[in-house]
mmCIF file of all heavy atoms in Angstrom:
data_model
loop_
_atom_site.group_PDB
_atom_site.id
_atom_site.type_symbol
_atom_site.label_atom_id
_atom_site.label_comp_id
_atom_site.label_asym_id
_atom_site.label_seq_id
_atom_site.Cartn_x
_atom_site.Cartn_y
_atom_site.Cartn_z
ATOM 1 N N MET A 17 87.277 225.048 6.282
ATOM 2 C CA MET A 17 87.926 223.726 5.910
ATOM 3 C C MET A 17 88.854 223.931 4.751
ATOM 4 O O MET A 17 89.922 223.303 4.725
ATOM 5 C CB MET A 17 86.854 222.783 5.667
ATOM 6 C CG MET A 17 87.300 221.338 5.667
ATOM 7 S SD MET A 17 87.835 220.923 7.343
ATOM 8 C CE MET A 17 88.232 219.206 7.101
ATOM 9 N N GLN A 18 88.482 224.802 3.827
ATOM 10 C CA GLN A 18 89.407 225.032 2.668
ATOM 11 C C GLN A 18 90.756 225.613 3.095
ATOM 12 O O GLN A 18 91.789 225.282 2.575
ATOM 13 C CB GLN A 18 88.631 225.977 1.690
ATOM 14 C CG GLN A 18 89.464 226.139 0.386
ATOM 15 C CD GLN A 18 89.608 224.875 -0.425
ATOM 16 O OE1 GLN A 18 88.718 224.040 -0.435
ATOM 17 N NE2 GLN A 18 90.754 224.745 -1.033
ATOM 18 N N GLU A 19 90.671 226.494 4.091
ATOM 19 C CA GLU A 19 91.883 227.093 4.569
ATOM 20 C C GLU A 19 92.800 226.063 5.197
ATOM 21 O O GLU A 19 94.043 226.059 4.945
ATOM 22 C CB GLU A 19 91.661 228.159 5.687
ATOM 23 C CG GLU A 19 91.041 229.418 5.139
ATOM 24 C CD GLU A 19 90.676 230.455 6.204
ATOM 25 O OE1 GLU A 19 91.335 230.316 7.279
ATOM 26 O OE2 GLU A 19 89.841 231.282 5.966
ATOM 27 N N TYR A 20 92.246 225.117 5.876
ATOM 28 C CA TYR A 20 92.966 224.029 6.460
ATOM 29 C C TYR A 20 93.654 223.154 5.372
ATOM 30 O O TYR A 20 94.858 222.791 5.432
ATOM 31 C CB TYR A 20 92.119 223.075 7.263
ATOM 32 C CG TYR A 20 92.727 221.792 7.716
ATOM 33 C CD1 TYR A 20 93.640 221.814 8.778
ATOM 34 C CD2 TYR A 20 92.418 220.599 7.071
ATOM 35 C CE1 TYR A 20 94.271 220.628 9.175
ATOM 36 C CE2 TYR A 20 92.989 219.387 7.500
ATOM 37 C CZ TYR A 20 93.938 219.440 8.494
ATOM 38 O OH TYR A 20 94.512 218.290 8.868
ATOM 39 N N GLU A 21 92.907 222.882 4.252
ATOM 40 C CA GLU A 21 93.524 222.086 3.197
ATOM 41 C C GLU A 21 94.604 222.854 2.479
ATOM 42 O O GLU A 21 95.594 222.238 2.090
ATOM 43 C CB GLU A 21 92.373 221.724 2.161
ATOM 44 C CG GLU A 21 91.365 220.710 2.714
ATOM 45 C CD GLU A 21 92.027 219.412 3.044
ATOM 46 O OE1 GLU A 21 92.947 218.939 2.342
ATOM 47 O OE2 GLU A 21 91.649 218.773 4.069
ATOM 48 N N ASN A 22 94.400 224.195 2.256
ATOM 49 C CA ASN A 22 95.453 224.977 1.693
ATOM 50 C C ASN A 22 96.693 225.022 2.542
ATOM 51 O O ASN A 22 97.859 224.967 2.032
ATOM 52 C CB ASN A 22 94.953 226.382 1.394
ATOM 53 C CG ASN A 22 93.878 226.456 0.360
ATOM 54 O OD1 ASN A 22 93.787 225.542 -0.490
ATOM 55 N ND2 ASN A 22 93.144 227.541 0.348
ATOM 56 N N LEU A 23 96.525 225.144 3.883
ATOM 57 C CA LEU A 23 97.682 225.173 4.747
ATOM 58 C C LEU A 23 98.419 223.789 4.716
ATOM 59 O O LEU A 23 99.611 223.749 4.716
ATOM 60 C CB LEU A 23 97.245 225.516 6.189
ATOM 61 C CG LEU A 23 98.272 225.540 7.272
ATOM 62 C CD1 LEU A 23 99.335 226.588 6.930
ATOM 63 C CD2 LEU A 23 97.657 225.861 8.602
ATOM 64 N N LYS A 24 97.647 222.778 4.701
ATOM 65 C CA LYS A 24 98.188 221.439 4.665
ATOM 66 C C LYS A 24 99.008 221.244 3.374
ATOM 67 O O LYS A 24 100.182 220.741 3.414
ATOM 68 C CB LYS A 24 97.063 220.395 4.719
ATOM 69 C CG LYS A 24 97.495 219.035 5.092
ATOM 70 C CD LYS A 24 96.256 218.182 5.466
ATOM 71 C CE LYS A 24 96.063 217.112 4.404
ATOM 72 N NZ LYS A 24 94.939 216.179 4.740
ATOM 73 N N LYS A 25 98.523 221.673 2.298
ATOM 74 C CA LYS A 25 99.267 221.552 0.988
ATOM 75 C C LYS A 25 100.478 222.427 1.055
ATOM 76 O O LYS A 25 101.573 221.953 0.584
ATOM 77 C CB LYS A 25 98.391 222.065 -0.184
ATOM 78 C CG LYS A 25 97.354 221.101 -0.637
ATOM 79 C CD LYS A 25 96.600 221.637 -1.834
ATOM 80 C CE LYS A 25 95.424 220.732 -2.181
ATOM 81 N NZ LYS A 25 94.571 221.315 -3.256
ATOM 82 N N SER A 26 100.426 223.590 1.574
ATOM 83 C CA SER A 26 101.558 224.534 1.679
ATOM 84 C C SER A 26 102.655 223.876 2.538
ATOM 85 O O SER A 26 103.813 223.901 2.209
ATOM 86 C CB SER A 26 101.135 225.844 2.213
ATOM 87 O OG SER A 26 102.241 226.728 2.413
ATOM 88 N N LEU A 27 102.253 223.376 3.640
ATOM 89 C CA LEU A 27 103.203 222.703 4.574
ATOM 90 C C LEU A 27 103.853 221.475 3.929
ATOM 91 O O LEU A 27 105.017 221.223 4.045
ATOM 92 C CB LEU A 27 102.587 222.327 5.919
ATOM 93 C CG LEU A 27 102.236 223.475 6.822
ATOM 94 C CD1 LEU A 27 101.488 222.974 8.053
ATOM 95 C CD2 LEU A 27 103.527 224.205 7.260
ATOM 96 N N SER A 28 103.049 220.754 3.249
ATOM 97 C CA SER A 28 103.544 219.554 2.478
ATOM 98 C C SER A 28 104.631 219.912 1.495
ATOM 99 O O SER A 28 105.654 219.263 1.371
ATOM 100 C CB SER A 28 102.372 218.816 1.891
ATOM 101 O OG SER A 28 102.862 217.657 1.195
ATOM 102 N N VAL A 29 104.292 220.973 0.700
ATOM 103 C CA VAL A 29 105.273 221.433 -0.277
ATOM 104 C C VAL A 29 106.555 221.882 0.407
ATOM 105 O O VAL A 29 107.640 221.604 0.030
ATOM 106 C CB VAL A 29 104.668 222.563 -1.161
ATOM 107 C CG1 VAL A 29 105.752 223.175 -1.980
ATOM 108 C CG2 VAL A 29 103.615 221.971 -2.079
ATOM 109 N N SER A 30 106.401 222.670 1.475
ATOM 110 C CA SER A 30 107.562 223.193 2.238
ATOM 111 C C SER A 30 108.453 222.035 2.776
ATOM 112 O O SER A 30 109.606 222.046 2.741
ATOM 113 C CB SER A 30 107.158 224.068 3.397
ATOM 114 O OG SER A 30 106.569 225.256 2.898
ATOM 115 N N LEU A 31 107.749 221.038 3.353
ATOM 116 C CA LEU A 31 108.452 219.881 3.874
ATOM 117 C C LEU A 31 109.236 219.145 2.762
ATOM 118 O O LEU A 31 110.366 218.684 2.952
ATOM 119 C CB LEU A 31 107.505 218.932 4.558
ATOM 120 C CG LEU A 31 107.105 219.328 5.993
ATOM 121 C CD1 LEU A 31 105.989 218.345 6.494
ATOM 122 C CD2 LEU A 31 108.261 219.357 6.942
ATOM 123 N N GLU A 32 108.531 218.963 1.609
ATOM 124 C CA GLU A 32 109.188 218.298 0.459
ATOM 125 C C GLU A 32 110.420 219.066 0.005
ATOM 126 O O GLU A 32 111.467 218.480 -0.244
ATOM 127 C CB GLU A 32 108.150 218.142 -0.646
ATOM 128 C CG GLU A 32 108.647 217.259 -1.850
ATOM 129 C CD GLU A 32 108.832 215.835 -1.491
ATOM 130 O OE1 GLU A 32 108.130 215.281 -0.545
ATOM 131 O OE2 GLU A 32 109.594 215.178 -2.153
ATOM 132 N N GLN A 33 110.294 220.363 -0.083
ATOM 133 C CA GLN A 33 111.388 221.214 -0.495
ATOM 134 C C GLN A 33 112.588 221.066 0.567
ATOM 135 O O GLN A 33 113.784 220.937 0.179
ATOM 136 C CB GLN A 33 111.058 222.669 -0.603
ATOM 137 C CG GLN A 33 110.147 222.892 -1.818
ATOM 138 C CD GLN A 33 109.526 224.308 -1.883
ATOM 139 O OE1 GLN A 33 109.526 225.003 -0.830
ATOM 140 N NE2 GLN A 33 109.064 224.708 -2.978
ATOM 141 N N LYS A 34 112.250 221.128 1.825
ATOM 142 C CA LYS A 34 113.273 221.012 2.856
ATOM 143 C C LYS A 34 113.938 219.624 2.794
ATOM 144 O O LYS A 34 115.186 219.514 2.928
ATOM 145 C CB LYS A 34 112.650 221.234 4.208
ATOM 146 C CG LYS A 34 113.634 221.484 5.291
ATOM 147 C CD LYS A 34 114.363 222.820 5.041
ATOM 148 C CE LYS A 34 115.240 223.193 6.153
ATOM 149 N NZ LYS A 34 116.104 224.287 5.795
ATOM 150 N N LYS A 35 113.122 218.577 2.638
ATOM 151 C CA LYS A 35 113.629 217.247 2.457
ATOM 152 C C LYS A 35 114.680 217.108 1.368
ATOM 153 O O LYS A 35 115.754 216.615 1.487
ATOM 154 C CB LYS A 35 112.587 216.238 2.323
ATOM 155 C CG LYS A 35 113.060 214.782 2.225
ATOM 156 C CD LYS A 35 111.918 213.819 1.864
ATOM 157 C CE LYS A 35 111.735 213.838 0.360
ATOM 158 N NZ LYS A 35 110.801 212.886 -0.149
ATOM 159 N N ASN A 36 114.291 217.740 0.187
ATOM 160 C CA ASN A 36 115.153 217.661 -0.962
ATOM 161 C C ASN A 36 116.420 218.442 -0.722
ATOM 162 O O ASN A 36 117.523 218.024 -1.113
ATOM 163 C CB ASN A 36 114.397 218.186 -2.171
ATOM 164 C CG ASN A 36 113.306 217.254 -2.690
ATOM 165 O OD1 ASN A 36 113.355 216.077 -2.410
ATOM 166 N ND2 ASN A 36 112.356 217.852 -3.416
ATOM 167 N N GLU A 37 116.294 219.595 -0.041
ATOM 168 C CA GLU A 37 117.528 220.360 0.274
ATOM 169 C C GLU A 37 118.441 219.607 1.190
ATOM 170 O O GLU A 37 119.672 219.523 0.990
ATOM 171 C CB GLU A 37 117.036 221.677 0.973
ATOM 172 C CG GLU A 37 118.099 222.647 1.348
ATOM 173 C CD GLU A 37 117.589 223.845 2.032
ATOM 174 O OE1 GLU A 37 116.516 224.376 1.659
ATOM 175 O OE2 GLU A 37 118.182 224.211 3.100
ATOM 176 N N ILE A 38 117.923 218.937 2.215
ATOM 177 C CA ILE A 38 118.718 218.122 3.108
ATOM 178 C C ILE A 38 119.400 217.010 2.415
ATOM 179 O O ILE A 38 120.566 216.725 2.563
ATOM 180 C CB ILE A 38 117.859 217.656 4.271
ATOM 181 C CG1 ILE A 38 117.488 218.825 5.201
ATOM 182 C CG2 ILE A 38 118.607 216.585 5.126
ATOM 183 C CD1 ILE A 38 116.457 218.467 6.227
ATOM 184 N N LEU A 39 118.633 216.313 1.482
ATOM 185 C CA LEU A 39 119.234 215.174 0.733
ATOM 186 C C LEU A 39 120.324 215.660 -0.146
ATOM 187 O O LEU A 39 121.383 215.000 -0.298
ATOM 188 C CB LEU A 39 118.156 214.481 -0.095
ATOM 189 C CG LEU A 39 117.193 213.592 0.650
ATOM 190 C CD1 LEU A 39 116.057 213.155 -0.217
ATOM 191 C CD2 LEU A 39 117.936 212.431 1.268
ATOM 192 N N GLN A 40 120.185 216.852 -0.794
ATOM 193 C CA GLN A 40 121.227 217.416 -1.661
ATOM 194 C C GLN A 40 122.433 217.677 -0.820
ATOM 195 O O GLN A 40 123.596 217.384 -1.214
ATOM 196 C CB GLN A 40 120.732 218.644 -2.324
ATOM 197 C CG GLN A 40 119.785 218.427 -3.449
ATOM 198 C CD GLN A 40 119.223 219.684 -4.096
ATOM 199 O OE1 GLN A 40 119.303 220.763 -3.476
ATOM 200 N NE2 GLN A 40 118.708 219.597 -5.258
ATOM 201 N N ASN A 41 122.260 218.291 0.353
ATOM 202 C CA ASN A 41 123.400 218.614 1.224
ATOM 203 C C ASN A 41 124.163 217.414 1.704
ATOM 204 O O ASN A 41 125.379 217.259 1.704
ATOM 205 C CB ASN A 41 122.996 219.450 2.446
ATOM 206 C CG ASN A 41 122.659 220.896 2.069
ATOM 207 O OD1 ASN A 41 123.071 221.400 1.041
ATOM 208 N ND2 ASN A 41 121.834 221.549 2.867
ATOM 209 N N LEU A 42 123.338 216.326 2.085
ATOM 210 C CA LEU A 42 123.953 215.108 2.585
ATOM 211 C C LEU A 42 124.687 214.439 1.403
ATOM 212 O O LEU A 42 125.790 213.906 1.620
ATOM 213 C CB LEU A 42 122.885 214.142 3.091
ATOM 214 C CG LEU A 42 122.350 214.544 4.469
ATOM 215 C CD1 LEU A 42 121.222 213.587 4.856
ATOM 216 C CD2 LEU A 42 123.448 214.465 5.535
ATOM 217 N N THR A 43 124.158 214.441 0.259
ATOM 218 C CA THR A 43 124.822 213.807 -0.937
ATOM 219 C C THR A 43 126.085 214.565 -1.247
ATOM 220 O O THR A 43 127.147 213.953 -1.493
ATOM 221 C CB THR A 43 123.888 213.874 -2.146
ATOM 222 O OG1 THR A 43 122.691 213.179 -1.867
ATOM 223 C CG2 THR A 43 124.562 213.289 -3.365
ATOM 224 N N LYS A 44 126.057 215.860 -1.129
ATOM 225 C CA LYS A 44 127.312 216.649 -1.439
ATOM 226 C C LYS A 44 128.364 216.368 -0.379
ATOM 227 O O LYS A 44 129.535 216.181 -0.727
ATOM 228 C CB LYS A 44 126.942 218.231 -1.405
ATOM 229 C CG LYS A 44 128.123 219.099 -1.611
ATOM 230 C CD LYS A 44 127.638 220.551 -1.566
ATOM 231 C CE LYS A 44 128.823 221.463 -1.670
ATOM 232 N NZ LYS A 44 128.552 222.830 -1.376
ATOM 233 N N GLN A 45 127.978 216.342 0.859
ATOM 234 C CA GLN A 45 128.929 215.977 1.954
ATOM 235 C C GLN A 45 129.516 214.542 1.777
ATOM 236 O O GLN A 45 130.660 214.308 1.927
ATOM 237 C CB GLN A 45 128.271 216.120 3.369
ATOM 238 C CG GLN A 45 127.955 217.501 3.699
ATOM 239 C CD GLN A 45 127.215 217.604 5.037
ATOM 240 O OE1 GLN A 45 126.868 216.603 5.635
ATOM 241 N NE2 GLN A 45 126.908 218.781 5.455
ATOM 242 N N TYR A 46 128.630 213.651 1.434
ATOM 243 C CA TYR A 46 129.132 212.238 1.191
ATOM 244 C C TYR A 46 130.110 212.199 0.096
ATOM 245 O O TYR A 46 131.133 211.561 0.137
ATOM 246 C CB TYR A 46 127.900 211.356 0.897
ATOM 247 C CG TYR A 46 128.275 209.937 0.604
ATOM 248 C CD1 TYR A 46 128.506 209.013 1.582
ATOM 249 C CD2 TYR A 46 128.472 209.515 -0.753
ATOM 250 C CE1 TYR A 46 128.902 207.700 1.335
ATOM 251 C CE2 TYR A 46 128.782 208.179 -1.023
ATOM 252 C CZ TYR A 46 129.051 207.324 -0.021
ATOM 253 O OH TYR A 46 129.442 206.046 -0.311
ATOM 254 N N ASP A 47 129.777 212.901 -1.023
ATOM 255 C CA ASP A 47 130.702 212.927 -2.167
ATOM 256 C C ASP A 47 132.028 213.467 -1.805
ATOM 257 O O ASP A 47 133.086 213.013 -2.192
ATOM 258 C CB ASP A 47 130.103 213.645 -3.339
ATOM 259 C CG ASP A 47 128.936 212.929 -3.978
ATOM 260 O OD1 ASP A 47 128.701 211.714 -3.722
ATOM 261 O OD2 ASP A 47 128.143 213.578 -4.727
ATOM 262 N N GLU A 48 132.053 214.555 -1.048
ATOM 263 C CA GLU A 48 133.297 215.225 -0.602
ATOM 264 C C GLU A 48 134.084 214.325 0.289
ATOM 265 O O GLU A 48 135.313 214.145 0.077
ATOM 266 C CB GLU A 48 132.994 216.518 0.131
ATOM 267 C CG GLU A 48 132.453 217.646 -0.724
ATOM 268 C CD GLU A 48 131.981 218.887 -0.010
ATOM 269 O OE1 GLU A 48 132.019 218.844 1.277
ATOM 270 O OE2 GLU A 48 131.583 219.898 -0.649
ATOM 271 N N ILE A 49 133.418 213.666 1.228
ATOM 272 C CA ILE A 49 134.104 212.726 2.094
ATOM 273 C C ILE A 49 134.645 211.522 1.329
ATOM 274 O O ILE A 49 135.788 211.111 1.547
ATOM 275 C CB ILE A 49 133.232 212.335 3.268
ATOM 276 C CG1 ILE A 49 132.931 213.437 4.142
ATOM 277 C CG2 ILE A 49 133.780 211.102 4.036
ATOM 278 C CD1 ILE A 49 131.758 213.217 5.211
ATOM 279 N N SER A 50 133.843 211.004 0.431
ATOM 280 C CA SER A 50 134.310 209.863 -0.384
ATOM 281 C C SER A 50 135.488 210.209 -1.217
ATOM 282 O O SER A 50 136.498 209.389 -1.348
ATOM 283 C CB SER A 50 133.144 209.376 -1.274
ATOM 284 O OG SER A 50 132.066 208.854 -0.478
ATOM 285 N N SER A 51 135.478 211.398 -1.777
ATOM 286 C CA SER A 51 136.574 211.843 -2.658
ATOM 287 C C SER A 51 137.830 212.013 -1.825
ATOM 288 O O SER A 51 138.918 211.581 -2.248
ATOM 289 C CB SER A 51 136.226 213.175 -3.277
ATOM 290 O OG SER A 51 137.252 213.645 -4.075
ATOM 291 N N LYS A 52 137.760 212.594 -0.620
ATOM 292 C CA LYS A 52 138.955 212.768 0.188
ATOM 293 C C LYS A 52 139.467 211.385 0.667
ATOM 294 O O LYS A 52 140.691 211.157 0.678
ATOM 295 C CB LYS A 52 138.561 213.544 1.486
ATOM 296 C CG LYS A 52 138.339 214.987 1.162
ATOM 297 C CD LYS A 52 138.002 215.774 2.433
ATOM 298 C CE LYS A 52 137.676 217.257 2.071
ATOM 299 N NZ LYS A 52 137.175 217.941 3.252
ATOM 300 N N ARG A 53 138.565 210.508 1.062
ATOM 301 C CA ARG A 53 138.967 209.137 1.464
ATOM 302 C C ARG A 53 139.644 208.416 0.348
ATOM 303 O O ARG A 53 140.645 207.700 0.567
ATOM 304 C CB ARG A 53 137.719 208.378 1.959
ATOM 305 C CG ARG A 53 138.057 207.056 2.584
ATOM 306 C CD ARG A 53 138.716 207.254 3.888
ATOM 307 N NE ARG A 53 139.050 205.933 4.483
ATOM 308 C CZ ARG A 53 140.267 205.623 5.001
ATOM 309 N NH1 ARG A 53 141.156 206.536 5.060
ATOM 310 N NH2 ARG A 53 140.425 204.431 5.481
ATOM 311 N N LYS A 54 139.132 208.537 -0.854
ATOM 312 C CA LYS A 54 139.768 207.804 -1.982
ATOM 313 C C LYS A 54 141.127 208.407 -2.248
ATOM 314 O O LYS A 54 142.092 207.624 -2.489
ATOM 315 C CB LYS A 54 138.868 208.096 -3.245
ATOM 316 C CG LYS A 54 139.419 207.408 -4.490
ATOM 317 C CD LYS A 54 138.521 207.664 -5.705
ATOM 318 C CE LYS A 54 139.153 207.025 -6.969
ATOM 319 N NZ LYS A 54 138.459 207.460 -8.166
ATOM 320 N N ALA A 55 141.277 209.695 -2.140
ATOM 321 C CA ALA A 55 142.633 210.297 -2.323
ATOM 322 C C ALA A 55 143.630 209.789 -1.210
ATOM 323 O O ALA A 55 144.755 209.523 -1.542
ATOM 324 C CB ALA A 55 142.503 211.832 -2.343
ATOM 325 N N GLN A 56 143.117 209.707 0.013
ATOM 326 C CA GLN A 56 143.942 209.204 1.104
ATOM 327 C C GLN A 56 144.362 207.781 0.863
ATOM 328 O O GLN A 56 145.538 207.434 1.091
ATOM 329 C CB GLN A 56 143.208 209.343 2.419
ATOM 330 C CG GLN A 56 143.042 210.743 2.919
ATOM 331 C CD GLN A 56 142.042 210.774 4.116
ATOM 332 O OE1 GLN A 56 141.258 209.908 4.339
ATOM 333 N NE2 GLN A 56 142.228 211.894 4.911
ATOM 334 N N LEU A 57 143.423 206.969 0.438
ATOM 335 C CA LEU A 57 143.776 205.542 0.149
ATOM 336 C C LEU A 57 144.721 205.386 -0.986
ATOM 337 O O LEU A 57 145.687 204.555 -0.945
ATOM 338 C CB LEU A 57 142.465 204.759 -0.147
ATOM 339 C CG LEU A 57 141.593 204.529 1.091
ATOM 340 C CD1 LEU A 57 140.273 203.962 0.660
ATOM 341 C CD2 LEU A 57 142.262 203.629 2.119
ATOM 342 N N GLU A 58 144.543 206.182 -2.047
ATOM 343 C CA GLU A 58 145.505 206.148 -3.187
ATOM 344 C C GLU A 58 146.941 206.577 -2.702
ATOM 345 O O GLU A 58 147.853 205.954 -3.116
ATOM 346 C CB GLU A 58 145.025 207.061 -4.234
ATOM 347 C CG GLU A 58 143.810 206.542 -5.014
ATOM 348 C CD GLU A 58 143.150 207.506 -5.945
ATOM 349 O OE1 GLU A 58 143.494 208.704 -5.961
ATOM 350 O OE2 GLU A 58 142.351 207.058 -6.813
ATOM 351 N N GLU A 59 146.983 207.615 -1.840
ATOM 352 C CA GLU A 59 148.245 208.055 -1.342
ATOM 353 C C GLU A 59 148.923 206.973 -0.490
ATOM 354 O O GLU A 59 150.146 206.699 -0.604
ATOM 355 C CB GLU A 59 148.042 209.358 -0.573
ATOM 356 C CG GLU A 59 149.368 209.899 0.048
ATOM 357 C CD GLU A 59 150.384 210.297 -1.031
ATOM 358 O OE1 GLU A 59 150.031 210.637 -2.159
ATOM 359 O OE2 GLU A 59 151.593 210.338 -0.636
ATOM 360 N N LEU A 60 148.118 206.401 0.352
ATOM 361 C CA LEU A 60 148.579 205.214 1.226
ATOM 362 C C LEU A 60 149.114 204.105 0.329
ATOM 363 O O LEU A 60 150.171 203.563 0.595
ATOM 364 C CB LEU A 60 147.478 204.787 2.123
ATOM 365 C CG LEU A 60 147.853 203.663 3.115
ATOM 366 C CD1 LEU A 60 148.990 204.069 3.987
ATOM 367 C CD2 LEU A 60 146.629 203.243 3.920
ATOM 368 N N GLY A 61 148.380 203.827 -0.723
ATOM 369 C CA GLY A 61 148.807 202.731 -1.668
ATOM 370 C C GLY A 61 150.158 203.081 -2.300
ATOM 371 O O GLY A 61 151.015 202.241 -2.444
ATOM 372 N N ARG A 62 150.313 204.318 -2.684
ATOM 373 C CA ARG A 62 151.627 204.730 -3.317
ATOM 374 C C ARG A 62 152.757 204.545 -2.293
ATOM 375 O O ARG A 62 153.835 204.145 -2.632
ATOM 376 C CB ARG A 62 151.506 206.139 -3.793
ATOM 377 C CG ARG A 62 150.784 206.295 -5.126
ATOM 378 C CD ARG A 62 150.943 207.673 -5.735
ATOM 379 N NE ARG A 62 150.169 208.727 -4.986
ATOM 380 C CZ ARG A 62 148.888 208.958 -5.191
ATOM 381 N NH1 ARG A 62 148.237 208.297 -6.116
ATOM 382 N NH2 ARG A 62 148.315 209.897 -4.517
ATOM 383 N N LYS A 63 152.472 205.023 -1.054
ATOM 384 C CA LYS A 63 153.509 204.848 0.011
ATOM 385 C C LYS A 63 153.883 203.449 0.265
ATOM 386 O O LYS A 63 155.071 203.101 0.350
ATOM 387 C CB LYS A 63 153.031 205.541 1.288
ATOM 388 C CG LYS A 63 153.012 207.055 1.250
ATOM 389 C CD LYS A 63 152.538 207.643 2.593
ATOM 390 C CE LYS A 63 152.487 209.167 2.475
ATOM 391 N NZ LYS A 63 151.987 209.733 3.741
ATOM 392 N N VAL A 64 152.879 202.547 0.307
ATOM 393 C CA VAL A 64 153.155 201.171 0.521
ATOM 394 C C VAL A 64 153.964 200.529 -0.605
ATOM 395 O O VAL A 64 154.946 199.841 -0.413
ATOM 396 C CB VAL A 64 151.811 200.379 0.724
ATOM 397 C CG1 VAL A 64 152.005 198.881 0.716
ATOM 398 C CG2 VAL A 64 151.130 200.747 2.065
ATOM 399 N N LEU A 65 153.626 200.855 -1.894
ATOM 400 C CA LEU A 65 154.308 200.338 -3.029
ATOM 401 C C LEU A 65 155.696 200.895 -3.025
ATOM 402 O O LEU A 65 156.656 200.128 -3.349
ATOM 403 C CB LEU A 65 153.584 200.811 -4.280
ATOM 404 C CG LEU A 65 152.345 200.045 -4.639
ATOM 405 C CD1 LEU A 65 151.641 200.624 -5.842
ATOM 406 C CD2 LEU A 65 152.553 198.564 -4.858
ATOM 407 N N LYS A 66 155.954 202.127 -2.630
ATOM 408 C CA LYS A 66 157.279 202.720 -2.581
ATOM 409 C C LYS A 66 158.073 201.993 -1.536
ATOM 410 O O LYS A 66 159.315 201.669 -1.729
ATOM 411 C CB LYS A 66 157.145 204.179 -2.246
ATOM 412 C CG LYS A 66 158.466 204.922 -2.332
ATOM 413 C CD LYS A 66 158.319 206.377 -2.044
ATOM 414 C CE LYS A 66 159.631 207.132 -2.026
ATOM 415 N NZ LYS A 66 159.479 208.515 -1.722
ATOM 416 N N GLU A 67 157.485 201.683 -0.360
ATOM 417 C CA GLU A 67 158.191 201.000 0.708
ATOM 418 C C GLU A 67 158.589 199.554 0.254
ATOM 419 O O GLU A 67 159.615 199.026 0.677
ATOM 420 C CB GLU A 67 157.380 200.959 1.948
ATOM 421 C CG GLU A 67 157.199 202.263 2.686
ATOM 422 C CD GLU A 67 158.515 202.716 3.301
ATOM 423 O OE1 GLU A 67 159.269 201.879 3.815
ATOM 424 O OE2 GLU A 67 158.801 203.892 3.243
ATOM 425 N N LEU A 68 157.679 198.889 -0.511
ATOM 426 C CA LEU A 68 157.970 197.558 -0.920
ATOM 427 C C LEU A 68 158.978 197.408 -2.066
ATOM 428 O O LEU A 68 159.560 196.365 -2.232
ATOM 429 C CB LEU A 68 156.673 196.887 -1.380
ATOM 430 C CG LEU A 68 155.600 196.636 -0.265
ATOM 431 C CD1 LEU A 68 154.290 196.081 -0.877
ATOM 432 C CD2 LEU A 68 156.096 195.695 0.750
ATOM 433 N N SER A 69 159.169 198.509 -2.759
ATOM 434 C CA SER A 69 160.068 198.402 -3.922
ATOM 435 C C SER A 69 161.497 198.814 -3.546
ATOM 436 O O SER A 69 161.808 199.266 -2.461
ATOM 437 C CB SER A 69 159.583 199.256 -5.104
ATOM 438 O OG SER A 69 159.511 200.665 -4.691
#
């Protein structure tokens, strides 16, 4: 029974680490996409202002 509990703890820790790794990757991807989108919107805003002036 002790082996089972140790395996359960080990798997729990592994799952937690994997979850954190996935969350970090998703956050990084989100930040990259948000940054690119912000730059695109700023560029579009400049083009619109240039066209209007």
